[in-house]
Amino acid sequence: MKINIEERVLHFKQPAGTSRGVYTVRRSWFITIRDGDRSGVGECAPLPDLSCDAIPDYASVLRRFCDDVCRTGVINYEAMRDYPSMLFGLETAMLALRSPLLFDTPFSRGEQGIPINGLVWMGSYEEMLRRIEQKLEQGFRCVKLKVGAIDFGRELDLVKRIRERFSPREIELRLDANGGFSFKEALYKLELLSQFAIHSIEQPIASMQWGNMAELCRYAPLPIALDEELIGVNDPDQKRQLLRIIKPDYIILKPSLHGGMMGCREWIRIAQEQGIGSWMTSALESNVGLSAIARFCSSVYGDKITMPQGLGTGQLFVDNIPMPLEIRGDKLWISARS
């Protein structure tokens, strides 16, 4: 068994704005495992200032883990708990080595699509309004808005405009604040947003405020989902404690950030024990990572996924890696034409 590592820089078609800054390029490490005439590819894609394993010596640490796999033939999951993006890449490549489908599901066979939300990135008021119109024209029935970057009054107006045109039965609205609200103002803002039948809001305040987040989850008039809060919480007992204290309505899982496939399965199992829902999303990976997450998602949630997943970001790059993925209406498909 041999493993090759290739670093690539992908370029966004337009700057991707988040409350943590604006991304114009995306750096990923692609690992190719070869064993005889078989091969499998996986993507390791840490996000700067966000991933718990976005470390200065990333390439050398990844090489060490790859060498361990070459020597033993297996992944040391416990050793890789704190390196989720590396683990996800190795998991993907090892699965692809056995089967190009990764998981034998109707989605992976191109027989079913996965419902996804239409993501509207942060931008100026006019940009966001235009992007909303585009998503609705494309047929999305669930739209997710990034909020917290422009004036809150204008963001509120955007939500109001959507609701004036589409009822909750026609369009499901999700919001993602990326921790952009202060705790002092969060409950007031959530109360204003709740009048527009919001499905949920992700991470209204910054992570590492378990007490404050727990209070918001207790008193907020709309469901709260955790995302960034889960980053770096890799021990099963800590996961259980976090969810028991905060009691969110949902958790949102990104394999590159939240423990790879192994860690996400763990999060889902622990959340289900406490009656907490979940869905899966990508984290600005290339089509290689997106395809793996979608196939994994179809395996975890079963053949008939009804909750829209966050898997529609594969069209962000001008130099993306070709994969048999396509969006038809509001679903992600493996193309039968591949």
Side-chain angles (χ1 to χ4, degrees):
M1 182 182 292
K2 296 182 179 179
I3 300 182
N4 178 65
I5 303 173
E6 178 190 4
E7 181 182 351
R8 293 185 61 167
V9 177
L10 304 175
H11 300 81
F12 285 94
K13 292 179 180 178
Q14 56 188 27
T18 74
S19 62
R20 292 172 176 262
V22 178
Y23 293 110
T24 58
V25 297
R26 180 73 164 94
R27 179 172 294 175
S28 291
W29 285 261
F30 295 88
I31 56 177
T32 302
I33 302 179
R34 300 188 187 279
D35 190 4
D37 59 355
R38 298 178 301 147
S39 65
V41 179
E43 179 178 6
C44 305
L47 280 169
D49 303 319
L50 189 61
S51 298
C52 64
D53 58 352
I55 51 180
D57 56 344
Y58 189 92
S60 62
V61 173
L62 176 60
R63 180 74 265 174
R64 187 172 72 246
F65 284 128
C66 288
D67 290 344
D68 288 341
V69 171
C70 285
R71 186 177 63 257
T72 64
V74 296
I75 297 172
N76 187 336
Y77 287 97
E78 290 305 314
M80 296 192 71
R81 275 192 179 274
D82 294 330
Y83 303 90
S85 66
M86 300 183 199
L87 175 57
F88 177 57
L90 272 169
E91 288 174 313
T92 301
M94 290 289 277
L95 286 168
L97 190 66
R98 293 197 290 267
S99 168
L101 294 180
L102 273 66
F103 301 95
D104 189 11
T105 65
F107 171 78
S108 292
R109 296 193 299 268
E111 299 167 1
Q112 289 182 2
I114 296 176
I116 60 175
N117 60 245
L119 177 61
V120 177
W121 284 96
M122 290 179 175
S124 68
Y125 178 85
E126 291 74 19
E127 287 171 338
M128 293 183 72
L129 185 60
R130 184 177 67 254
R131 292 168 189 166
I132 291 169
E133 296 284 350
Q134 290 172 346
K135 294 300 178 186
L136 299 181
E137 289 172 4
Q138 290 166 8
F140 284 96
R141 294 191 293 272
C142 176
V143 177
K144 173 179 167 180
L145 304 180
K146 293 276 189 177
V147 297
I150 63 176
D151 177 73
F152 179 72
R154 306 198 84 189
E155 291 175 337
L156 197 64
D157 184 56
L158 281 170
V159 174
K160 180 181 178 182
R161 285 200 181 199
I162 297 174
R163 274 290 167 256
E164 286 174 347
R165 289 183 52 192
F166 299 96
S167 72
R169 285 184 296 179
E170 294 172 299
I171 293 292
E172 179 180 284
L173 280 179
R174 297 177 180 174
L175 304 179
D176 184 1
N178 286 122
F181 299 162
S182 71
F183 173 67
K184 185 177 180 180
E185 65 186 1
L187 191 58
Y188 171 68
K189 289 184 175 181
L190 296 184
E191 287 173 350
L192 292 177
L193 289 167
S194 68
Q195 64 186 306
F196 300 112
I198 304 300
H199 171 271
S200 58
I201 183 166
E202 295 178 39
Q203 205 70 40
I205 62 174
S207 59
M208 304 300 290
Q209 303 179 71
W210 289 17
N212 288 343
M213 188 68 84
E215 185 172 337
L216 281 182
C217 289
R218 189 177 304 116
Y219 296 111
L222 72 164
I224 290 178
L226 301 185
D227 180 355
E228 288 92 340
E229 198 73 63
L230 312 180
I231 296 173
V233 181
N234 301 314
D235 177 78
D237 290 337
Q238 288 182 331
K239 293 177 181 181
R240 194 169 281 106
Q241 182 184 29
L242 182 151
L243 296 183
R244 189 179 295 123
I245 290 173
I246 297 179
K247 295 182 175 64
D249 297 278
Y250 301 100
I251 57 173
I252 301 170
L253 297 165
K254 299 177 173 72
S256 292
L257 295 176
H258 300 134
M261 298 182 194
M262 179 273 293
C264 285
R265 287 188 189 277
E266 206 168 63
W267 273 115
I268 291 169
R269 183 176 65 254
I270 293 170
Q272 287 175 338
E273 292 171 359
Q274 301 187 34
I276 296 168
S278 67
W279 68 86
M280 209 166 288
T281 184
S282 52
L284 305 181
E285 294 90 354
S286 76
N287 279 334
V288 173
L290 174 62
S291 175
I293 296 168
R295 293 169 192 267
F296 173 56
C297 179
S298 71
S299 172
V300 168
Y301 293 122
D303 293 347
K304 296 180 180 179
I305 301 174
T306 56
M307 177 173 283
Q309 309 291 306
L311 303 175
T313 57
Q315 300 173 319
L316 291 175
F317 305 107
V318 298
D319 44 6
N320 211 333
I321 297 168
M323 294 287 286
L325 292 170
E326 62 180 10
I327 296 175
R328 304 178 204 163
D330 66 343
K331 290 186 177 181
L332 181 70
W333 289 78
I334 298 291
S335 174
R337 296 188 294 270
S338 60

